[in-house]
Amino acid sequence: MWTHKFQNLLHQRQNTTLELLLLLLLLLLLLLLLLLLLLLLSVIESVIGFVTKFVTELMTELVIEVVTELVTEFVIESVTEITDRICDRKI
């Protein structure tokens, strides 16, 4: 009778230990998943930073080119107009 109760307690103890080990394994897996998620977020942040820097540089160059072109055209038209007025007055 005592041995039977002892065996039941021992069996319950083994089940509890197994449950605790499985729970610990589950927690470790969750921790690993969290670390992988953090790594993924870090990679995404790096990619977004690179793309943002690239697009910013590209847009800056584009704006400089467009503004330079517009200013050049404006100056040429203005000088041409002024030159035409001067020539018209001389004639």
Side-chain angles (χ1 to χ4, degrees), residues 4 6-7 9 17 21 27 33 35 45 51-52 55 65 67 69 75 81 85-86:
H4 183 65
F6 180 72
Q7 285 177 343
L9 286 174
T17 304
L21 288 174
L27 289 174
L33 181 63
L35 290 174
E45 181 183 14
V51 169
T52 302
V55 169
E65 287 180 26
V67 169
E69 181 85 19
V75 168
E81 185 178 325
R85 284 184 182 175
I86 291 174

Side-chain angles (χ1 to χ4, degrees), residues 62-76:
L62 182 64
V63 166
I64 289 172
E65 287 180 26
V66 168
V67 169
T68 303
E69 181 85 19
L70 289 174
V71 168
T72 303
E73 286 180 22
F74 176 75
V75 168
I76 289 173

Side-chain angles (χ1 to χ4, degrees), residues 39-90:
L39 179 65
L40 178 64
L41 289 175
S42 175
V43 169
I44 289 172
E45 181 183 14
S46 297
V47 168
I48 288 174
F50 174 75
V51 169
T52 302
K53 182 179 176 185
F54 178 74
V55 169
T56 301
E57 289 176 4
L58 187 65
M59 291 302 292
T60 302
E61 289 178 20
L62 182 64
V63 166
I64 289 172
E65 287 180 26
V66 168
V67 169
T68 303
E69 181 85 19
L70 289 174
V71 168
T72 303
E73 286 180 22
F74 176 75
V75 168
I76 289 173
E77 287 177 7
S78 297
V79 168
T80 303
E81 185 178 325
I82 292 171
T83 305
D84 287 347
R85 284 184 182 175
I86 291 174
C87 287
D88 285 345
R89 285 186 181 172
K90 286 186 175 181

Side-chain angles (χ1 to χ4, degrees), residues 24-41:
L24 181 61
L25 180 63
L26 179 64
L27 289 174
L28 288 174
L29 287 174
L30 287 174
L31 180 62
L32 180 63
L33 181 63
L34 180 63
L35 290 174
L36 288 174
L37 181 61
L38 288 175
L39 179 65
L40 178 64
L41 289 175

